Amino acid sequence: MSDDRLIVALDVPNALQALALTEKLGDAVSFYKIGLGMLTGGGLGLANELIAEQGKRVFLDMKLFDIGATVEAAVRGLAQFDLDFLTVHGDPHVVRAAKEGAAGKDLKILAVTILTSLDRADLDEGLIRAGDIPELVAERAARAFDAGADGVIASPQEAAMIRALPEAAGRLIVTPGVRPTGAALGDQKRVATPASAVSAGADHIVVGRPIWQAPDPRAAAQAIVDELATL
């Protein structure tokens, strides 16, 4: 049995490989993430097929950022695909525009706080103001919620702090940077195991390489589902 709390990232080169992976995973997985890297590899067509032909849920991870009118128009177009989640950057003007674009649809707008691949040195290089990352993430999350975000993207290490925010009541927390015990970290720097991420307040966890690079992807996904079932 699948568990919607697990979202598998289809970060493979193209839609054909992604469909081959979903065939291997079968009913062990019900929710998939399609990212920016897949966009030129047939990502929107893939989303349509997963939704219409396989009955899967789809999270489109575009991390949109632009002037308000452009974001609103882009989201309005994407909202026609019956997606579950769409990411935008957590700047309040972007979130407000995205919510306008999604008006009348069930599409949930998720705001990116600080990417889980970044640490304080990366933020310094990007001229982001001083402060501990968890505190900055919580502040960005609160501002995104105030702007209307249905949820946020944050690392598992900040999930509990965000969940404790008054503004987080009834909102979603989706955590990438999740690695099963013993899995390689890859390019992620702020990570946790599936069970610890959900225990900290995450509603959904996103896992990619530890599943699709595994010798048996279905078994790897089922192990995570089984771990979540113990909570």
Side-chain angles (χ1 to χ4, degrees):
M1 295 291 292
S2 62
D3 187 326
D4 274 5
R5 291 177 292 180
L6 170 63
I7 300 175
V8 173
L10 295 174
D11 295 333
V12 292
N14 56 60
L16 290 178
Q17 291 186 37
L19 287 172
L21 175 60
T22 65
E23 185 174 346
K24 290 179 183 177
L25 295 172
D27 60 3
V29 176
S30 56
F31 209 156
Y32 287 100
K33 180 179 84 74
I34 297 173
L36 193 59
M38 177 67 75
L39 192 60
T40 57
L44 292 179
L46 172 62
N48 266 337
E49 181 154 351
L50 290 175
I51 294 166
E53 303 297 328
Q54 298 189 30
K56 305 297 185 181
R57 301 180 68 187
V58 171
F59 162 21
L60 195 63
D61 186 20
M62 294 290 103
K63 299 182 181 71
L64 298 177
F65 182 88
D66 212 311
I67 64 171
T70 300
V71 170
E72 181 178 344
V75 174
R76 184 172 292 113
L78 292 170
Q80 308 307 310
F81 287 85
D82 293 325
L83 304 163
D84 283 273
F85 300 161
L86 172 69
T87 51
V88 303
H89 275 269
D91 303 61
H93 84 276
V94 176
V95 174
R96 286 190 289 266
K99 287 296 292 180
E100 285 294 324
K105 298 291 186 178
D106 292 331
L107 176 63
K108 298 289 191 297
I109 299 299
L110 305 183
V112 175
T113 53
I114 295 175
L115 297 175
T116 54
S117 61
L118 303 182
D119 57 20
R120 186 62 251 183
D122 297 313
L123 300 189
D124 291 340
E125 187 177 24
L127 302 179
I128 304 299
R129 72 170 173 83
D132 292 334
I133 285 183
E135 294 174 0
L136 294 177
V137 167
E139 184 175 344
R140 280 181 62 81
R143 293 186 181 192
F145 289 143
D146 284 341
D150 299 295
V152 295
I153 305 292
S155 91
Q157 297 179 13
E158 290 101 39
M161 184 179 290
I162 293 172
R163 182 54 70 203
L165 294 171
E167 298 90 346
R171 310 296 179 94
L172 296 167
I173 299 174
V174 179
T175 56
V178 172
R179 291 290 183 270
T181 301
L185 298 185
D187 57 5
Q188 301 295 326
K189 297 178 181 178
R190 307 193 325 273
V191 302
T193 64
S196 60
V198 171
S199 295
D203 297 285
H204 298 274
I205 59 171
V206 180
V207 184
R209 281 163 289 191
I211 289 176
W212 56 259
Q213 288 184 343
D216 185 341
R218 182 186 175 94
Q222 191 62 55
I224 295 173
V225 169
D226 292 344
E227 180 179 335
L228 295 178
T230 66
L231 299 176

